[in-house]
Amino acid sequence: MTSTTSTAAVHGPGKAVGVVDRRVPVAVSAPDPISREGAISQLRRHPEIDLREESGPGTVALLIEDALDDAALTRLRRIVRSEGARAVLVIGAIRESELLDVVECGVGAIVWRHEATAHRLVQAVLAASRGDGDLPADLLGRLISQVGTLHRGAAGRPGAPSLGLAPREVDVLRLVAEGLDTGEIAGKLSYSERTVKNVMHGLTTRLHLRNRAHAVAYALREGYI
């Protein structure tokens, strides 16, 4: 599989795509040259993108797949866990049974291939570079439904672990699950954006979670939201 890489700027909430704070390396990987070159040409037009050849710590890895198989999941795990990159998955189709696996691999941003415009790709890359989640609304609904089913199946099981989330952590995660960004969450809860970021950093670090989507999945599984 061929890889190419690019760099996207990290924007604070509310900043428009195209206003560069800093450039963030992004590695583009696709199973065929047409898909790879198509993604590269989409990203190259944006000043916050700097194409690179390899992924690694601090890199956003953009992976393009038609469907998810064991090989693709293995690549995702290697990129996130071994190479230390953040991942954006551009996918044609994904089964419900695979969705939680993808989130728990550390993928925080997913884009449907048929929606992969230049703007949408850059939006997902910027979200991933910030550690934010960016899931299509239909996938977020499926994730909530799936995790809810898992939680109901585990209800009442002796020895089930408790996350011990603080009330304000639950409040923040509820709004994350609704798709709000850091600035919108801060406004809803009358917190500063720094406080929201500190809450998310604290709970993801304490619970060894990979990103916002992973945190939402675990909170749903444990019945907090």
Side-chain angles (χ1 to χ4, degrees):
M1 185 167 75
T2 312
S3 275
T4 312
T5 314
S6 72
T7 306
V10 178
H11 297 308
K15 290 191 178 181
V17 171
V19 180
V20 179
D21 289 337
R22 70 179 180 89
R23 306 181 85 190
V24 179
V26 179
V28 179
S29 178
D32 63 87
I34 292 177
S35 296
R36 179 175 59 84
E37 291 301 324
I40 290 170
S41 67
Q42 295 266 51
L43 295 172
R44 186 180 284 127
R45 292 174 286 171
H46 291 265
E48 61 265 57
I49 301 298
D50 178 20
L51 296 170
R52 302 284 184 88
E53 290 296 329
E54 299 294 335
S55 61
T59 299
V60 176
L62 181 73
L63 286 85
I64 302 170
E65 301 285 350
D66 288 317
L68 206 64
D69 55 18
D70 289 340
L73 275 174
T74 298
R75 284 193 293 274
L76 284 172
R77 291 189 182 102
R78 185 191 71 244
I79 286 168
V80 175
R81 298 179 185 179
S82 300
E83 299 179 7
R86 299 183 185 275
V88 174
L89 177 63
V90 181
I91 192 83
I94 187 168
R95 295 190 295 266
E96 287 191 12
S97 59
E98 299 165 336
L99 184 54
L100 192 57
D101 286 337
V102 168
V103 170
E104 293 186 337
C105 276
V107 176
I110 300 175
V111 178
W112 291 122
R113 285 193 69 153
H114 68 272
E115 295 178 350
T117 62
H119 176 79
R120 185 70 188 88
L121 289 178
V122 173
Q123 182 183 52
V125 162
L126 296 181
S129 72
R130 295 190 300 265
D132 291 349
D134 186 357
L135 302 182
D138 57 333
L139 279 187
L140 182 58
R142 284 161 60 184
L143 178 63
I144 290 171
S145 174
Q146 184 187 8
V147 175
T149 299
L150 290 173
H151 172 67
R152 288 191 296 275
R157 186 165 40 185
S162 171
L163 293 181
L165 293 179
R168 75 172 181 173
E169 291 175 333
V170 175
D171 290 340
V172 169
L173 282 175
R174 281 200 183 104
L175 296 177
V176 171
E178 292 175 13
L180 276 64
D181 64 23
T182 301
E184 291 168 332
I185 293 169
K188 285 269 189 181
L189 298 178
S190 299
Y191 292 161
S192 69
E193 291 187 23
R194 180 177 295 276
T195 295
V196 174
K197 291 176 182 177
N198 287 343
V199 169
M200 287 302 305
H201 176 75
L203 73 91
T204 53
T205 301
R206 187 177 79 251
L207 302 172
H208 307 291
L209 303 170
R210 299 187 180 280
N211 50 45
R212 290 186 175 200
H214 198 186
V216 169
Y218 268 73
L220 285 161
R221 175 180 282 173
E222 295 297 324
Y224 281 93
I225 60 177

